[in-house]
Amino acid sequence: MSFAFKGHGPLDYKLVTYKGSPMRFRGPQIDLTKPFLLCLGGSETFGKLVPQPYPDRLSAMLGRPVANMAAMNAGLELALGDGAIADAMSRAEAIVLQITGAHHLTNRFYQVHQRRNDRFLQPSDILRVIYREVDFTDFHLSRHMLEHLLTCSEDRFQIVVDELKMAWMARMRSLLNRAICPVRLLWIGHRPPAETGYCRELGSDPLFVTKGMLEEIAAQAASLTICVTTREEQQKPTRGMFFGLGEEKIARALLGPDIHVRAARDLSEKILKL
């Protein structure tokens, strides 16, 4: 049965910790001394409001433990800087790496929080010079800040976007080079990869990652899976999700259980081909 479980609070995500990290990841707890698969990514992989996100379903389909070390609004900054993730990457049999946006990265123009990658900390002197008219103390989230910069000047904004793209490519290569096992890339969201990362407005995640960037990075990985919501799922965005009073707006922006099922199925087929 698909329904929204309103009025009883959020799901129990069975949050767990692993040695070397202050992060609380979604459970169940996985024994990292035994063979396992590792899933890294942001909100979509964490599976907020979804009873069984694709890492759980993948585990059931393969009959193998899967550690979900994703976090809400996380980007490559967390994946590259977290001690527990680094340890898990060195032990995993395979890694599923969700494609996350380029805006959740510290770069030459601004700094984000190392663990909460959506948090804008401060601009660089270069960005202050480019946008002299902007008071950056008004912003707490990088997306909010970028939306404002776009309204100020599309030409100047393109300079920021170019920097974010270069930073994303460099960090992705660094993460893939660090892996000693096959890495399965996963694009999961409301839209397929496009030729441009935005058009007059930022749009949906993963921000600024173009089709060309994805293809270049995919050449370094074991596989690429693209999983996009169907029209029916977009028309019924909260079907099968569990959320409390006041959370419906949040639920409508997230991915529902159906796409998690398809992502797990597509990933399992590619993993089983090994």
Side-chain angles (χ1 to χ4, degrees):
M1 178 181 292
S2 296
F3 61 97
F5 196 67
K6 298 185 178 183
H8 293 266
L11 289 171
D12 180 5
Y13 299 113
K14 297 180 174 62
L15 298 177
V16 299
T17 59
Y18 291 95
K19 184 179 179 180
S21 174
M23 293 295 298
R24 300 180 73 198
F25 299 107
R26 183 163 185 169
Q29 187 97 35
I30 300 300
D31 185 351
L32 303 185
T33 65
K34 298 179 180 179
F36 69 97
L37 276 65
L38 173 64
C39 288
L40 302 176
S43 303
E44 293 76 15
T45 300
F46 180 87
K48 185 176 176 67
L49 306 184
V50 175
Q52 286 186 292
Y54 77 81
D56 288 0
R57 294 184 179 275
L58 185 62
S59 177
M61 290 177 184
L62 296 176
R64 297 155 75 180
V66 176
N68 185 343
M69 289 193 178
M72 289 299 297
N73 302 309
L76 293 172
E77 204 72 30
L78 174 65
L80 285 165
D82 185 84
I85 290 177
D87 179 62
M89 286 184 65
S90 70
R91 299 171 182 265
E93 291 186 306
I95 297 170
V96 175
L97 176 61
Q98 178 200 338
I99 301 297
T100 53
H103 60 309
H104 286 338
L105 285 172
T106 291
N107 55 84
R108 289 191 307 149
F109 291 149
Y110 63 86
Q111 181 180 359
V112 301
H113 195 282
Q114 187 176 3
R115 294 188 299 278
R116 302 187 66 181
N117 299 162
D118 60 327
R119 300 293 178 178
F120 169 73
L121 295 184
Q122 62 182 6
S124 69
D125 291 340
I126 303 174
L127 190 61
R128 291 184 188 276
V129 170
I130 296 174
Y131 286 93
R132 293 182 183 275
E133 75 275 27
V134 175
D135 182 1
F136 288 96
T137 60
D138 291 338
F139 307 110
H140 300 288
L141 300 175
S142 59
R143 187 184 182 102
H144 182 205
M145 181 267 297
L146 290 167
E147 287 173 341
H148 181 74
L149 298 188
L150 176 57
T151 64
C152 293
S153 167
E154 288 190 26
D155 290 339
R156 284 181 286 168
F157 187 71
Q158 187 59 50
I159 299 173
V160 178
V161 171
D162 289 344
E163 164 63 19
L164 295 179
K165 288 180 177 180
M166 287 190 292
W168 186 88
M169 292 292 289
R171 304 292 177 80
M172 280 294 290
R173 290 193 182 100
S174 177
L175 190 61
L176 289 171
N177 288 335
R178 185 179 296 182
I180 58 176
C181 63
V183 177
R184 307 284 178 174
L185 301 181
L186 173 65
W187 174 289
I188 183 170
H190 293 299
R191 62 174 179 85
E195 298 296 336
T196 58
Y198 74 100
C199 184
R200 296 190 179 276
E201 60 181 22
L202 296 189
S204 61
D205 290 333
L207 289 187
F208 311 128
V209 180
T210 66
K211 183 178 179 181
M213 293 165 62
L214 188 60
E215 290 174 348
E216 186 174 341
I217 287 298
Q220 194 175 338
S223 67
L224 168 63
T225 298
I226 296 177
C227 207
V228 180
T229 52
T230 64
R231 179 172 296 182
E232 181 183 2
E233 290 165 1
Q234 293 171 7
Q235 292 173 343
K236 300 178 180 179
T238 64
R239 182 174 60 186
M241 301 176 79
F242 286 59
F243 54 90
L245 293 174
E247 290 188 304
E248 184 171 359
K249 184 177 180 180
I250 296 172
R252 296 180 70 86
L254 298 170
L255 301 180
D258 291 344
I259 192 171
H260 282 267
V261 172
R262 287 187 284 112
R265 181 195 63 212
D266 293 349
L267 285 166
S268 66
E269 290 176 356
K270 290 180 178 177
I271 292 171
L272 287 173
K273 287 182 180 179
L274 283 176

